Amino acid sequence: MLSATLFLSFAASALAARPFLNEPDTGSVQGASANWLARIDDALAGFAANRTLPPLENIIGLPDFEWAARNVIPIKNYTYYRNGAAGEWSYRNNLEVFSRFRLRPRVMVDITNIENTLNTTILGQNFSAPFYISPCARADYAHPEAEAGLVKAAAAGNILYMPALYAHLNIEEIAAARPENGTTFQQVYLNANDTATAEIFKRAEAAGSKAIVYTADSAADGNRHRALRYGVGSADSSYTPSSWEYYKKLQTMTTLPIIIKGIMTVEDAQLAVDNGAPAIVLSNHGGRQLDGSPSSLEVALEIHEQAPGIFQKIEVYADGGVRYGADALKLLALGVKAVGIGRPMMYANAYGAEGVLHAINILKKELALDAGNMGVADLKKIDASYMKWNSAASNGWYSR
Ligand SMILES: Cc1cc2nc3c(=O)[nH]c(=O)nc-3n(C[C@H](O)[C@H](O)[C@H](O)COP(=O)(O)O)c2cc1C
């Protein structure tokens, strides 16, 4: 009996030593707070008590935005953003997978020009950095300006924004809020109704969208336990038919390139190439659709190992769990051209456009700092040699 009690107390303390953290503990008074829930609360205690947003200069990294937004927006709204499918293991894995891979930093490299090498193109459009705002529905849950905050900040930071079809503002309203220099790719869900599809494509074209992002990873409704507790389920809840023939047909219905979002295997990445897709997004929808689905880093690694030519044949983007510069660099090292950021931008929008721009600037800075410390002189030349890829095999989900 005694030994069972002892075992349980050891097990409990082992778990307590490494809790899963949405927001890592980098702000508590002693580094590792006795109360792990404290995290940045120690540094920003007054704002938590008053349920007010801290000034943006107190927001140091992307995870801080979740803390800030959670303090001020209604719990139901926060839950819609935070939610993952079922037990949320894929949601967690998206965040944790980056820590399972070690960097191989090089030294004695002149990296002083690194900030000037962040710029890139995404399907021929010019941007200041290789990351973009992923399509996320219901931006009004964080701020009354809704998607206007996202589209304005993306333009101010000169990065791509992908508005969601189920955004609070409609396609035309988002286009009207988009500054002159802004670029958007329109995300769509389609249900095989050709008349409705043609109408959406026409509206996206007229609104000046430069591409369509066809989300393919949501064939069925997401099994979302956390969201159901607050009645904030998925905006796209029906069973949706799709096929590669259907994708070919869609290509004849618009002049815009159609990116496929939600690729989770090397087989489907290859099929996308075979069926003429100009670009794909490796994504498990932020772990919101299917618990057990892989992180985009694991999918990128599968492609790197089994069909690396795909990264040259089409443009490959990836999203899910990217919170730090080094996370993005790990995806770029495998050949991913740009990474998408979802939740952090939605939380940042609790501040409106100013907050989203702060998030963009933080990530740009972290990309440059981390690339510099990795000995990458030109971000466009980062490659797989900067990572030790097999270190995760024994430790995580990925195994050969
Ligand atoms: C609140 C929320 C709403 C989303 N809505 C959509 C959507 O309407 N269409 C879509 O393709 N993806 C949607 N996504 C998925 C994102 O585009 C993206 O894949 C995911 O958020 C990336 O993971 P991250 O949040 O960890 O960065 C949504 C994600 C969130 C968090």
Side-chain angles (χ1 to χ4, degrees):
M1 186 58 200
L2 182 66
S3 61
T5 314
L6 265 178
F7 172 77
L8 282 177
S9 76
F10 279 138
S13 57
L15 281 174
R18 192 182 171 284
F20 171 74
L21 295 177
N22 259 331
E23 304 126 36
D25 181 2
T26 55
S28 58
V29 174
Q30 303 190 345
S33 170
N35 171 10
W36 66 267
L37 281 171
R39 296 177 307 252
I40 61 175
D41 297 37
D42 292 349
L44 300 174
F47 302 104
N50 298 335
R51 301 189 78 77
T52 51
L53 290 169
L56 278 171
E57 65 257 30
N58 290 121
I59 298 294
I60 306 303
L62 293 194
D64 294 5
F65 283 109
E66 177 165 354
W67 182 92
R70 195 179 53 238
N71 277 320
V72 299
I73 66 177
I75 179 74
K76 185 175 156 171
N77 299 16
Y78 166 72
T79 300
Y80 175 67
Y81 290 165
R82 163 61 183 80
N83 163 77
E88 303 192 330
W89 303 108
S90 283
Y91 167 85
R92 292 176 180 216
N93 186 55
N94 282 0
L95 293 161
E96 295 190 331
V97 68
F98 294 106
S99 67
R100 298 205 299 268
F101 293 88
R102 293 286 81 78
L103 298 167
R104 298 184 67 245
R106 305 303 302 272
V107 298
M108 306 291 176
V109 180
D110 179 2
I111 49 75
T112 50
N113 192 42
I114 186 65
E115 286 193 8
N116 297 321
T117 71
L118 301 192
N119 63 312
T120 194
T121 59
I122 302 179
L123 280 186
Q125 306 292 320
N126 291 309
F127 298 103
S128 65
F131 64 87
Y132 61 87
I133 304 180
S134 289
C136 295
R138 304 183 193 167
D140 58 315
Y141 277 24
H143 195 276
E145 253 208 310
E147 288 78 16
L150 296 159
V151 76
K152 285 179 192 168
N158 191 13
I159 66 163
L160 169 65
Y161 172 45
M162 298 181 179
L165 181 66
Y166 294 134
H168 174 70
L169 301 182
N170 66 31
I171 294 176
E172 292 74 19
E173 287 167 334
I174 294 172
R178 186 183 56 215
E180 191 101 328
N181 69 322
T183 304
T184 52
F185 290 1
Q186 179 63 50
Q187 183 270 334
V188 297
Y189 288 114
L190 302 174
N191 63 3
N193 175 335
D194 287 351
T195 317
T197 299
E199 179 66 19
I200 292 171
F201 284 176
K202 210 166 75 196
R203 288 173 62 202
E205 288 167 14
S209 180
K210 297 287 185 259
I212 298 288
V213 181
Y214 173 49
T215 301
D217 61 20
S218 313
D221 193 7
N223 175 21
R224 300 180 178 181
H225 290 197
R226 183 187 295 268
L228 286 176
R229 297 187 202 287
Y230 291 89
V232 283
S234 169
D236 171 47
S237 58
S238 55
Y239 288 105
T240 314
S242 192
S243 67
W244 289 106
E245 293 73 45
Y246 180 58
Y247 175 68
K248 298 283 278 185
K249 180 169 159 190
L250 293 177
Q251 288 173 318
T252 68
M253 294 172 68
T254 175
T255 53
L256 298 175
I258 306 178
I259 301 164
I260 303 173
K261 176 170 183 278
I263 296 290
M264 290 173 276
T265 59
V266 64
E267 289 92 332
D268 281 343
Q270 185 59 55
L271 281 165
V273 173
D274 297 345
N275 285 282
I280 55 176
V281 185
L282 311 180
S283 174
N284 64 1
H285 213 108
R288 296 164 76 80
Q289 284 302 120
L290 176 63
D291 210 13
S293 56
S295 68
S296 62
L297 189 69
E298 289 159 307
V299 182
L301 189 52
E302 191 174 289
I303 298 173
H304 171 74
E305 292 187 331
Q306 296 181 33
I310 289 175
F311 289 112
Q312 273 77 55
K313 289 191 188 118
I314 58 173
E315 294 191 358
V316 179
Y317 321 130
D319 74 16
V322 176
R323 301 293 180 265
Y324 302 95
D327 298 347
L329 292 171
K330 290 171 187 177
L331 287 161
L332 297 177
L334 283 171
V336 166
K337 192 143 197 325
V339 302
I341 315 292
R343 293 179 184 83
M345 297 300 182
M346 302 304 275
Y347 298 133
N349 196 35
Y351 290 86
E354 207 193 342
V356 181
L357 184 57
H358 189 58
I360 293 168
N361 288 335
I362 286 173
L363 193 53
K364 279 186 188 169
K365 189 76 194 167
E366 289 193 7
L367 269 177
L369 295 180
D370 291 347
N373 283 315
M374 272 168 75
V376 176
D378 177 348
L379 194 53
K380 290 170 201 55
K381 299 211 174 113
I382 193 168
D383 64 40
S385 72
Y386 288 93
M387 294 288 305
K388 190 168 175 59
W389 292 113
N390 57 10
S391 60
S394 59
N395 194 12
W397 285 18
Y398 181 78
S399 64
R400 276 165 255 234

